[in-house]
């Protein structure tokens, strides 16, 4: 079945440093979604990308969808302690289900 | 507009006991999902429903049953709880690809 692989599994950064997580698939994706889960919380939808080469920004967060629609990235500029959590990429399976990556856990040291 | 709610928030069971987790959504979404999340792990789909009166198996359905008698409610049952079912259970609903998650139920099976 369709899978999305996320790297890295976790990352420790100093506050103010940048952070990037990557999501890769061996097949062409119809869309990619990104979710954030704070420690002890539930996943919260951040954004969806559907077009080849699409780039969207939300304040310090930049989301990209690859030209071949097989990969995506989430980049955070100048991390803050409020960015701590796990970031998941996800994609529709062409049916009714959403396939989630394993997530990248971000630790930010003040 | 409460979104997705889950009850209970936390529960401790003894091995062999049964319980039902309730998920309710007020967004009139057709699709509802039950996931489990284990420490440091991603989301694994247990069962899902594409409409009132329908249910389908996900990735890890064994030991669980579900029912969707009303569009707004999706129940997850554990007939005979096992320690391996200790986890955090998230319910989600969607109208399309974007999923909206409830706050989760933390279940401990002793």
């Amino acid at each position: 079945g369709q899978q999305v692989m996320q790297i890295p599994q976790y990352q420790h950064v100093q506050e103010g440093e940048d952070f990037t997580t990557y999501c890769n698939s061996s097949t062409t994706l119809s869309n990619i979604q990104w979710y954030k889960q704070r420690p002890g919380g539930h996943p919260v939808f951040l954004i969806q990308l559907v077009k080849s080469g699409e780039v969207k920004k939300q304040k310090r967060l930049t989301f990209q969808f690859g030209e071949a629609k097989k990969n995506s990235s989430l980049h955070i500029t100048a991390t803050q302690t409020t960015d701590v959590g796990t970031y998941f990429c996800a994609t529709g399976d062409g049916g009714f289900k959403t396939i989630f990556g394993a997530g990248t856990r971000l630790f930010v040291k003040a | 507009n409460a979104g997705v709610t889950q009850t209970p928030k936390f529960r401790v069971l003894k091995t062999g006991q049964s319980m039902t987790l309730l998920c309710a959504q007020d967004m009139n979404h057709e699709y509802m999902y039950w996931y489990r999340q284990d420490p440091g792990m991603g989301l694994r789909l247990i069962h899902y429903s594409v409409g009132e009166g329908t249910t389908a198996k996900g990735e890890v359905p064994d030991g669980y049953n579900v029912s969707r008698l009303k569009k707004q409610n999706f129940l997850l049952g554990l007939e005979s709880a096992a320690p391996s079912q200790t986890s955090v259970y998230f319910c989600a609903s969607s109208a399309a690809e974007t999923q909206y998650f409830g706050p989760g139920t933390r279940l401990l099976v002793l």
Side-chain angles (χ1 to χ4, degrees):
Chain A
Q2 195 164 52
Q3 284 188 329
V4 285
M5 308 300 291
Q6 267 188 270
I7 53 171
Q9 185 177 358
Y10 59 88
Q11 187 157 0
H12 293 258
V13 300
Q14 198 74 30
E15 189 174 24
E17 291 181 338
D18 292 356
F19 159 77
T20 305
T21 174
Y22 301 91
C23 185
N24 301 304
S25 171
S26 59
T27 60
T28 303
L29 304 172
S30 59
N31 62 73
I32 195 80
Q33 301 154 45
W34 286 94
Y35 294 78
K36 177 184 178 181
Q37 183 178 23
R38 294 180 187 274
H42 60 277
V44 175
F45 172 76
L46 294 176
I47 207 160
Q48 176 170 279
L49 306 172
V50 296
K51 297 178 182 177
S52 169
E54 190 170 11
V55 178
K56 288 188 177 180
K57 292 190 176 184
Q58 289 180 350
K59 297 183 180 178
R60 294 178 295 104
L61 279 60
T62 301
F63 304 86
Q64 292 189 335
F65 201 8
E67 292 290 342
K69 300 181 73 173
K70 289 185 176 182
N71 55 70
S72 180
S73 65
L74 158 58
H75 179 82
I76 302 178
T77 302
T79 55
Q80 300 176 357
T81 54
T82 54
D83 296 325
V84 163
T86 302
Y87 293 85
F88 294 98
C89 66
T91 188
D93 75 335
F96 303 104
K97 294 180 286 185
T98 297
I99 308 300
F100 286 86
T104 294
R105 191 165 181 184
L106 174 63
F107 300 87
V108 180
K109 186 175 181 181
Chain B
N1 197 344
V4 181
T5 58
Q6 292 183 234
T7 53
K9 289 184 171 55
F10 179 70
R11 185 76 183 268
V12 179
L13 288 179
K14 294 182 179 178
T15 297
Q17 287 185 319
S18 63
M19 79 164 295
T20 300
L21 284 67
L22 172 63
C23 176
Q25 53 99 0
D26 61 4
M27 295 174 283
N28 202 34
H29 287 167
E30 286 294 336
Y31 313 137
M32 296 187 75
Y33 308 82
W34 276 107
Y35 296 90
R36 62 176 289 174
Q37 185 176 43
D38 299 302
M41 301 278 289
L43 297 157
R44 291 189 290 171
L45 182 64
I46 305 171
H47 285 281
Y48 64 102
S49 168
V50 301
E52 181 178 319
T54 74
T55 63
K57 294 181 179 179
E59 182 186 351
V60 288
D62 294 343
Y64 306 94
N65 57 76
V66 287
S67 64
R68 182 106 181 263
L69 298 179
K70 292 183 179 181
K71 186 177 183 179
Q72 63 268 34
N73 296 336
F74 196 26
L75 279 62
L76 177 70
L78 285 74
E79 293 178 343
S80 180
S84 61
Q85 294 178 305
T86 293
S87 190
V88 180
Y89 292 85
F90 288 105
C91 175
S93 72
S94 72
E97 287 91 2
T98 303
Q99 300 213 348
Y100 297 86
F101 285 82
T105 294
R106 285 156 178 73
L107 176 64
L108 174 62
V109 183
L110 301 174

